[in-house]
Amino acid sequence: MSQSKLLLLFDVDGVVTDEHARVDTGTVERIIDFMVGGARVGFITGRSRTWLEAQLVPLLEAIEEDTPEAVLAAEMGAVRFVEGEWLVSAEHAVVGPARSQLRSLADQPKYSAWLEWDSTKEATATFEALHDPATHGHAERARNALAELMEDVRPLATRHGYRAALSTYALDVLAPSLSKAVGAEFAIDALRAPGEPRQTVVFGDSTGDLEMAVTARSMLKVPVTFVWLGQGAPPALPDASDGIALVTASEPHAPGTRGYLATL
């Protein structure tokens, strides 16, 4: 199939990064090859725009001048890059006392070596795993700390009318209206012209990323492949999953993304 008929949607953490959240240059270069070949590309991440601008955008600037830009949706789509500027959706923001109460939970001494409050977030309230690649097992212990913190965060979030979601490197508190479906809708609307794609491939490493595949199938009515890049077994496809194929990459994280792209 011609690359111009492909629409590719990527989560970022655990998909174009390694297990320590470092963006893999080789994987991004491979994605750029597809963009140059005509594929339409969107990145939908829970990360902030500040992180994207520091870690991913400089690599994407290597694309040729006449190549369409990738669509960027930060904080699951609550923060979007539109016509040269970032826009924040108040509809999807965590605000008020809930935000300050949540932030105080990150100050507990038992978490100081494993996680921190992400002060760059503008819509979600996020606890971020700290990364220490030089220390064996640090990434796993940081993920365990996030899971433990979830026990305190969930009831507080619920009390204020929000929800908590645990991903590979972060614990997010979100407005009920916000999910990866929001970012996927934005990206697909921006990428579907000119002409409908014939195939969509979604790359993810968490259950929440499946929402991008479901959204793509609903909006485009074309075959969708969901490429699982997480640790362990992939999540089960939802009941309404006709037209969605689930594929497990040969390796987790960025190496698996790079390997799967080589098969397209």
Side-chain angles (χ1 to χ4, degrees):
M1 180 183 296
S2 168
Q3 290 186 4
S4 65
K5 300 301 182 180
L6 280 174
L7 191 154
L8 307 177
L9 299 180
F10 297 89
D11 179 30
V12 175
D13 273 338
V15 171
V16 297
T17 67
D18 64 15
E19 66 170 330
H20 298 291
R22 298 173 297 198
V23 173
D24 183 80
T25 302
T27 301
V28 177
E29 289 174 348
R30 187 73 185 106
I31 294 169
I32 290 173
D33 288 342
F34 274 81
M35 294 171 65
V36 172
R40 289 165 263 183
V41 171
F43 293 94
I44 302 151
T45 178
R47 290 281 191 174
S48 68
R49 62 164 166 159
T50 301
W51 190 94
L52 284 175
E53 288 176 334
Q55 304 295 331
L56 181 61
V57 171
L59 299 177
L60 294 175
E61 289 174 347
I63 60 176
E64 298 175 7
E65 188 172 331
D66 60 349
T67 302
E69 296 181 352
V71 171
L72 301 175
E75 300 191 43
M76 298 192 186
V79 182
R80 308 166 179 182
F81 194 67
V82 179
E83 297 182 352
E85 65 176 321
W86 289 97
L87 303 178
V88 182
S89 171
E91 172 190 359
H92 300 303
V94 174
V95 297
R99 198 171 189 90
S100 58
Q101 291 172 22
L102 288 163
R103 180 168 188 165
S104 69
L105 294 177
D107 295 332
Q108 299 177 75
K110 64 179 178 178
Y111 296 128
S112 61
W114 313 113
L115 57 88
E116 64 182 354
W117 176 262
D118 188 345
S119 60
T120 68
K121 291 294 184 71
E122 298 166 276
T124 63
T126 298
F127 305 89
E128 193 72 34
L130 292 171
H131 300 280
D132 182 5
T135 301
H136 178 73
H138 190 277
E140 181 179 358
R141 290 197 290 273
R143 288 193 291 269
N144 290 339
L146 287 171
E148 180 181 346
L149 178 61
M150 180 69 149
E151 299 306 310
D152 293 329
V153 166
R154 183 186 284 115
L156 177 56
T158 301
R159 190 160 62 247
H160 287 280
Y162 299 116
R163 64 182 181 89
L166 190 62
S167 60
T168 304
Y169 301 117
L171 169 54
D172 295 300
V173 175
L174 316 160
S177 56
L178 183 60
S179 71
K180 284 289 183 72
V182 172
E185 289 175 6
F186 163 69
I188 292 167
D189 277 338
L191 293 168
R192 66 194 310 173
E196 296 290 288
R198 292 184 186 170
Q199 182 180 358
T200 298
V201 184
V202 177
F203 297 79
D205 72 327
S206 70
T207 302
D209 292 330
L210 261 176
E211 295 172 350
M212 297 193 290
V214 172
T215 302
R217 177 61 179 164
S218 174
M219 294 178 68
L220 297 171
K221 310 300 183 187
V222 300
V224 175
T225 301
F226 179 72
V227 182
W228 173 249
L229 293 144
Q231 299 279 2
L237 289 173
D239 291 338
S241 60
D242 289 346
I244 301 176
L246 175 63
V247 175
T248 300
S250 58
E251 300 178 73
H253 310 314
T257 300
R258 195 166 60 250
Y260 189 82
L261 288 171
T263 70
L264 292 177

